[in-house]
Amino acid sequence: MSSPLYAPSDGQILVSANPAAIVLDEFADPPVITASTVVSAQVLDTNGIPQAGVTVVFTTNGGELASAPAGQAINALETDDNGFVSDTLTLQLGDPTSTTVTVRSGALTGTIAVDKTEVPPNQLPVAFISITPANSALLNETVIYDGTTSNDPDGDPITCYQWTIEASETIANPDLPCVPPNSRCEVAQGPGTSFLTRRYAVEQMIAVTLRVSDNPSIACSSGGPVESIAAFGGAVVEAYDVVCDRSAPIAGAGANQTVSLGGNAMVTVPLSGATSFDPESGITSYDWDCANGSGIMNGVSVLCDYTVAGTYQVFLTVTNGCGMTATDTVIVTVNP
């Protein structure tokens, strides 16, 4: 049996690894719990000439080499015609973050460090809601639901915002789930739907839920199907009230009028309450008392009939969307 041939002591061993760093991610799909790198060495003499047929031994302070399986003796390797020889290093979870591979041939050594990174578990994003105006809004006031301060502890981008806005009837009745289309609730979602603006015409209590996700693989289109709740990591719920300010509307019955029967049996007087207004909840009804015994008439504009000369005090009562009322009068003078 021939004796092993070793590298000259004044030569050198050049060592490289491909890849030089390993990343393990047990939370990936599929999990990456082991990974390998090829460690290559080239043996050269003092003049830089490759040394073929040289005996080489690979050792490591971590992981496992293909030439030295666990529990087995180390196998010596031999360089090829170009002085190259390679081995495979496999690292797994729990191995050192930096593993040194040493290549020896006689008295000559070469080393390389292989770094290992273990990806930490994904931290779920955190949802935050800011509502303007705070706590409550008046009827027909613009409400801004703002989720832009939601964030991800890992620094990952938020890939989906999903808003669920439920009105008081849905909240009070669990048998009415929020499954659009539904007049009592809505779901709005999208990768850029970080805020919404809404206006409400009736008093109600609203529950606003914002869910956020950092999962890049979920479908989150504004016009697509509603993504299931299970796809989201962080959620926050806020209660919000839409209220009336209980201010009375402004009633406007118009200017006083003077008319004449002029020999006719009856004269008709047109009246208008168009100048009445309520900037918050609007005018919902107009009730007129023409003071002619005909009873209450309804409408923005009415026609009051008079058959007897005299002075009549006509009342207009308007009601706004909050149930508040106001009254104005107009004097109608009927001459013979």
Side-chain angles (χ1 to χ4, degrees):
M1 178 182 297
S2 60
S3 300
L5 177 64
Y6 295 109
S9 60
D10 58 352
Q12 60 179 327
I13 299 178
L14 305 179
V15 187
S16 63
N18 185 24
I22 285 176
V23 177
L24 302 181
D25 187 355
E26 65 177 310
F27 306 99
D29 185 17
V32 180
I33 58 175
T34 65
S36 299
T37 182
V38 176
V39 180
S40 299
Q42 186 180 32
V43 181
L44 306 173
D45 67 9
T46 188
N47 297 313
I49 298 174
Q51 300 297 292
V54 170
T55 298
V56 172
V57 173
F58 285 76
T59 59
T60 178
N61 65 349
E64 183 176 291
L65 290 166
S67 63
Q72 299 184 31
I74 298 175
N75 294 311
L77 304 175
E78 190 174 285
T79 59
D80 62 16
D81 291 342
N82 295 310
F84 282 102
V85 64
S86 63
D87 203 348
T88 300
L89 172 68
T90 300
L91 298 176
Q92 62 184 357
L93 295 173
D95 282 337
T97 56
S98 182
T99 297
T100 300
V101 177
T102 301
V103 183
R104 291 185 175 86
S105 180
L108 200 61
T109 63
T111 62
I112 190 169
V114 178
D115 294 327
K116 174 183 66 69
T117 301
E118 294 184 11
V119 177
N122 178 55
Q123 298 186 70
L124 298 178
V126 181
F128 290 99
I129 299 176
S130 172
I131 306 179
T132 304
N135 302 319
S136 64
L138 301 177
L139 298 189
N140 296 309
E141 185 174 13
T142 298
V143 180
I144 301 174
Y145 302 118
D146 189 347
T148 55
T149 56
S150 301
N151 62 82
D152 187 275
D154 299 321
D156 297 329
I158 293 179
T159 57
C160 188
Y161 297 82
Q162 185 187 82
W163 298 87
T164 303
I165 303 175
E166 300 180 75
S168 53
E169 185 175 349
T170 306
I171 299 167
N173 189 345
D175 295 329
L176 297 174
C178 186
V179 180
N182 185 323
S183 62
R184 292 171 296 275
C185 71
E186 67 166 313
V187 175
Q189 67 178 25
T193 314
S194 58
F195 69 93
L196 301 174
T197 59
R198 295 292 185 269
R199 299 178 71 183
Y200 302 97
V202 296
E203 280 190 299
Q204 57 190 302
M205 181 180 72
I206 295 173
V208 183
T209 303
L210 172 61
R211 297 180 178 90
V212 293
S213 175
D214 60 357
N215 185 346
S217 64
I218 68 170
C220 186
S221 60
S222 58
V226 175
E227 191 65 43
S228 68
I229 293 176
F232 294 89
V236 63
V237 181
E238 294 286 346
Y240 197 71
D241 293 322
V242 178
V243 299
C244 290
D245 68 359
R246 303 305 175 192
S247 297
I250 304 298
N256 295 336
Q257 297 194 44
T258 299
V259 296
S260 298
L261 287 169
N264 297 312
M266 182 179 68
V267 63
T268 298
V269 179
L271 298 175
S272 173
T275 58
S276 304
F277 70 95
D278 188 295
E280 179 202 352
S281 58
I283 304 297
T284 58
S285 67
Y286 300 78
D287 298 322
W288 295 87
D289 182 353
C290 294
N292 59 2
S294 62
I296 301 300
M297 302 176 67
N298 307 112
V300 178
S301 300
V302 294
L303 298 174
C304 293
D305 296 328
Y306 298 96
T307 59
V308 179
T311 300
Y312 299 87
Q313 186 177 24
V314 179
F315 290 86
L316 167 64
T317 300
V318 295
T319 304
N320 67 11
C322 295
M324 305 299 290
T325 62
T327 300
D328 189 26
T329 60
V330 58
I331 301 300
V332 176
T333 301
V334 179
N335 294 323

